[in-house]
Amino acid sequence: QVHLVESGGGLVQAGGSLRLSCAASGRIATINAMGWYRQAPGKQRELVAVFTTLPSTNYADSVKGRFTISRDNAENTVHLQMNSLKPEDTAVYYCFANTAGSSYWGQGTQVTVSS
């Protein structure tokens, strides 16, 4: 079992930055990928960024060049640095972790970007 806790969301003006963090606990040695989804009101859930143990990273086109995902193994934490934020980035951001057999999700953290 893996437990995930997100933090770092908040309210920021367009052009500003936020850093999201996702702390993992439990059977963290079984995790082979971690990342972030987001879901805005009335919108479909969107995969934002993924960090795998290969290792590799992937980003949605909408955030490429603005967001950076990284993993701190010592802290069992994945970070999402979000720069040049736009109002369309407003959403609830959910951290996820994949193992060979299961997927785990955090409770979400709200990111609101004002225009």
Side-chain angles (χ1 to χ4, degrees), residues 4 6 20 22 35-40 45-49 80 91-97 104-110:
L4 305 173
E6 302 106 328
L20 305 184
C22 177
W36 298 86
Y37 279 88
R38 67 184 181 185
Q39 188 163 26
R45 175 177 282 186
E46 176 187 25
L47 180 63
V48 177
L80 185 67
V92 177
Y93 285 70
Y94 297 92
C95 177
F96 72 89
Y104 302 89
W105 300 86
Q107 295 299 306
T109 185
Q110 176 71 46

Side-chain angles (χ1 to χ4, degrees), residues 33-71:
M34 293 185 68
W36 298 86
Y37 279 88
R38 67 184 181 185
Q39 188 163 26
K43 300 288 184 67
Q44 190 174 11
R45 175 177 282 186
E46 176 187 25
L47 180 63
V48 177
V50 180
F51 188 105
T52 77
T53 56
L54 292 177
S56 66
T57 58
N58 287 284
Y59 300 91
D61 288 342
S62 59
V63 307
K64 200 170 297 182
R66 301 187 297 120
F67 291 10
T68 302
I69 189 170
S70 61
R71 186 173 183 178

